[in-house]
Amino acid sequence: MLNIWDSEVWGFMLIAGVLLLSMLLANMLKRSVKFLKYSLVPTSVLGGGILLIVSSVYELITKDVFFDTQFFGGNGMATLEQTTYHALALGFIASTFKSSGGKLSKQRTTEIVNTGVTTVATYLIQAIVGFGITIVAAMIISGFFPAAGILLPFGFGQGTGQAMNYGNIYETDHGFVGGKTFGLTIAALGFLCASIGGVIHLNILKKKNKIKLTNADDSTAKAENVEGDNEIPMQGSMDKLTVQLGFVLSAYLLTYLLMYLLGLLIPGMKATIYGFNFLLGVLSATLIKFVVDKLRVKKVINRQYMNDFLMTRISNFFFDLMVVAGIAAIRLSVLENYWGIILILGVAGFVVTYFYNKFVAKTLFKDYEQEQFLMMYGMLTGTASTGIILLREIDGDFKTPAADNMVYQNFPAIALGFPMMLLANLAPAKPYLTLIILAVYFLVLNIVLFRSKIFKKKKK
C-alpha cells in the first residue's frame, strides 16, 4: 500500500513541475539575455537544454541517472519518455479539432498540396542521405546499426516524439543500443540547425536589403477569436477548457482502442502500430469531429463545442511539453561511441534541408519565396512552432499564405508520408532495397511537385 508521502506518488508530479519550471526559467533567460533573445531558439528547447546540462553534470559526478533518483520515484527517465510519446499524439489531436476554414481557391489548394508534397519529399531526401551515411558507417565501424540514419527525417522532419518512437522500435526490436537517445539527440540537433541556420539566413537577407525584420513582440499578428459564433459559454455548467480537454482525451481513448484491436489482429506489427499513435489519433479526432458536425447539421446539437483558440493553446502546450521532456531524456553518456556519426548526420541534414527547400520555394512560391522557405525550413528541422518563429521575423502579421500552408498541408503530408513510415520498419532487414525504394519515391514526388514545370502546356 502506498502512502501519500511516498516518492512513487509524487514522482510524476515532481517531474512535471521540473519540466515546466525549466521552461519558465528559459523564458526569463530569453527575455533578459540579449544573445538568447535574438537566437530564435524556442523556449522549450532552451528549457530542455537546461535540464540536459543539469542531468549530465549530475551523472558525471555521481555516476547515477538524475531522473532515476528516488526523488523522482526511481523511474523518471521512463516517465520522460512516456511524456514525449503521449504529448506528440495529444498535440496532433488538439490541432485536428480546429476548424478547417472556408472553401479554398484552386491556386491556394495547389499551393497547399505542393507544401504537403514538399514536406514528404524533404523527409525522403533526409532519409536517403542519412541512411546512406550510416550504411557506409556500418561498413567501417564494427557492430554499428546501419539503419540508424533513417532517424534523421524523424528527428529533423517530425520532431522529438517520432524520433524517440522509432529509436525505441530500433532499440527493442532490432538491438540498436541507445536507439531512443540517438533519435532524441538528432531531434535536438535539428532545433539547433533551425535556430542557427535561420538566424544566418535572415542576417544575409537583411544585409542584402531583401527583407525588413519585424519585432514579433510588437507585431499586430492576427489572433484567433477567443469565442466564435454560437459557441458554448466560457464558464458554463462545465468550463470550456474542460470540454476541449474532454474531446482531446476521448479521441486518445479511441486511439488506444484502435491500436489495441490492430495489435490483436497484427501481433507481429504491434510496436509499429503503437508507434503510429499520433496518426491514429488524427484519424480518431477526425471521426469524432465528423460525428459532432453531423449532429449539429441534424440539430441534435445546437451549439458549437470546439473552440479553435483553446485547441491551439492545448496543442502548443503538449508540443512544448514533448520537446522539453524529449531533450531532458537524452543521456549523453550512452552516445560516447556515436558522436562522430551524429554530427555528420546533423550537418548533412542541415545542408539538404536548407538547399532543397530553398530551391522549391524559389521555383514554386515566387510571390512569397522567403516566407515559404523560412516556414518550411524551420518546420522541417524543428517543429511547426519553429517554422512560425522564423516566419514571424519577416511576416509578423501573417500577410502571406505561408502560415496557412503549414496548417493545411498536414492532410496531404500524412497521406503521402505513410509509406515512408512503413519503409522505416523494412530498413533494418533490407537496407539496400529500402534505400532504392526511398530514392524512387523521392523521384516520383518531385515529378508530382514540379509537374507544372515539367509538363508545360504548349502555347499556340
Side-chain angles (χ1 to χ4, degrees):
M1 179 179 176
L2 289 175
N3 298 307
I4 56 174
W5 55 82
D6 287 342
S7 59
E8 289 87 349
V9 175
W10 284 90
F12 174 77
M13 296 307 298
L14 292 173
I15 285 179
V18 167
L19 292 176
L20 295 174
L21 178 62
S22 73
M23 283 196 280
L24 291 175
L25 177 59
N27 190 56
M28 290 172 59
L29 291 172
K30 285 268 293 179
R31 295 282 180 179
S32 57
V33 179
K34 189 174 181 180
F35 167 73
L36 292 174
K37 184 176 182 179
Y38 295 103
S39 68
L40 301 183
V41 176
T43 302
S44 54
V45 174
L46 185 57
I50 291 170
L51 292 179
L52 177 59
I53 292 170
V54 171
S55 61
S56 298
V57 170
Y58 181 88
E59 186 171 353
L60 186 65
I61 295 171
T62 66
K63 307 302 179 186
D64 294 326
V65 179
F66 178 69
F67 285 104
D68 281 347
T69 55
Q70 199 58 38
F71 180 79
F72 294 111
N75 199 27
M77 291 298 284
T79 302
L80 289 174
E81 291 168 2
Q82 290 163 14
T83 301
T84 304
Y85 171 76
H86 291 304
L88 171 71
L90 291 167
F92 269 103
I93 288 170
S95 296
T96 304
F97 276 125
K98 292 175 63 179
S99 60
S100 56
K103 189 176 180 180
L104 298 170
S105 66
K106 184 178 179 181
Q107 180 182 348
R108 291 291 302 117
T109 302
T110 300
E111 290 172 345
I112 288 164
V113 170
N114 284 345
T115 302
V117 175
T118 304
T119 298
V120 180
T122 305
Y123 294 163
L124 290 166
I125 195 171
Q126 289 170 341
I128 292 164
V129 171
F131 199 9
I133 289 170
T134 52
I135 285 176
V136 173
M139 296 175 182
I140 301 169
I141 304 170
S142 177
F144 184 74
F145 186 65
I150 287 285
L151 294 175
L152 181 59
F154 293 114
F156 269 51
Q158 297 190 14
T160 314
Q162 276 297 83
M164 193 200 72
N165 280 354
Y166 274 89
N168 182 55
I169 290 171
Y170 288 167
E171 188 169 330
T172 55
D173 292 357
H174 303 286
F176 179 23
V177 178
K180 285 181 289 189
T181 297
F182 192 98
L184 291 171
T185 306
I186 292 293
L189 281 179
F191 283 112
L192 290 178
C193 288
S195 320
I196 297 170
V199 169
I200 293 172
H201 183 80
L202 286 167
N203 284 326
I204 291 172
L205 292 178
K206 185 180 178 182
K207 286 181 179 179
K208 291 181 178 180
N209 293 319
K210 289 188 175 182
I211 61 166
K212 182 180 179 181
L213 298 182
T214 61
N215 189 330
D217 289 335
D218 298 333
S219 173
T220 58
K222 63 180 182 181
E224 295 163 281
N225 290 328
V226 176
E227 190 166 323
D229 296 333
N230 198 35
E231 287 192 2
I232 58 173
M234 194 64 73
Q235 293 180 336
S237 58
M238 183 185 294
D239 190 90
K240 200 167 187 174
L241 178 60
T242 307
V243 174
Q244 311 310 304
L245 288 170
F247 278 115
V248 172
L249 293 174
S250 296
Y252 204 34
L253 173 62
L254 178 58
T255 301
Y256 175 78
L257 294 175
L258 288 173
M259 291 190 297
Y260 180 77
L261 290 173
L262 288 171
L264 293 177
L265 292 172
I266 322 171
M269 293 189 67
K270 202 168 187 178
T272 304
I273 290 166
Y274 278 83
F276 285 164
N277 65 328
F278 79 101
L279 179 57
L280 291 171
V282 168
L283 293 175
S284 298
T286 302
L287 177 61
I288 291 174
K289 186 178 174 183
F290 175 79
V291 171
V292 171
D293 287 344
K294 286 297 180 185
L295 291 175
R296 284 191 67 210
V297 170
K298 294 182 179 296
K299 305 298 182 183
V300 176
I301 295 175
N302 297 316
R303 305 293 294 274
Q304 173 66 35
Y305 282 85
M306 298 170 197
N307 177 269
D308 284 0
F309 177 81
L310 292 176
M311 286 298 184
T312 300
R313 305 284 73 77
I314 293 169
S315 174
N316 289 347
F317 167 75
F318 281 122
F319 285 141
D320 280 341
L321 196 63
M322 174 192 76
V323 172
V324 71
I327 294 176
I330 294 172
R331 286 189 62 194
L332 298 179
S333 59
V334 177
L335 299 172
E336 57 186 355
N337 297 322
Y338 299 149
W339 279 113
I341 301 299
I342 287 173
L343 291 175
I344 291 171
L345 286 172
V347 172
F350 159 69
V351 171
V352 297
T353 305
Y354 181 91
F355 286 104
Y356 180 72
N357 280 278
K358 197 168 184 293
F359 175 74
V360 172
K362 184 177 182 180
T363 306
L364 299 179
F365 299 88
K366 292 182 179 179
D367 293 338
Y368 50 101
E369 174 191 337
Q370 297 301 334
E371 291 84 357
Q372 178 75 7
F373 166 73
L374 284 166
M375 178 273 292
M376 292 297 291
Y377 171 75
M379 181 179 70
L380 291 167
T381 48
T383 60
S385 61
T386 321
I388 289 295
I389 288 170
L390 290 177
L391 176 62
R392 287 181 67 184
E393 291 296 312
I394 62 171
D395 186 17
D397 296 324
F398 298 139
K399 292 178 180 178
T400 68
D404 289 337
N405 288 351
M406 174 190 284
V407 175
Y408 298 122
Q409 63 87 30
N410 282 302
F411 295 101
I414 287 173
L416 293 170
F418 184 73
M420 202 197 83
M421 296 178 184
L422 297 177
L423 288 171
N425 290 283
L426 177 67
K430 297 185 177 181
Y432 295 107
L433 175 61
T434 303
L435 192 58
I436 291 170
I437 296 173
L438 287 170
V440 171
Y441 193 27
F442 176 69
L443 178 63
V444 170
L445 284 189
N446 275 278
I447 292 172
V448 173
L449 183 60
F450 297 106
R451 60 196 179 280
S452 61
K453 303 295 180 182
I454 297 172
F455 306 108
K456 287 182 178 179
K457 293 181 179 179
K458 293 183 179 180
K459 293 183 179 180
K460 291 184 180 180

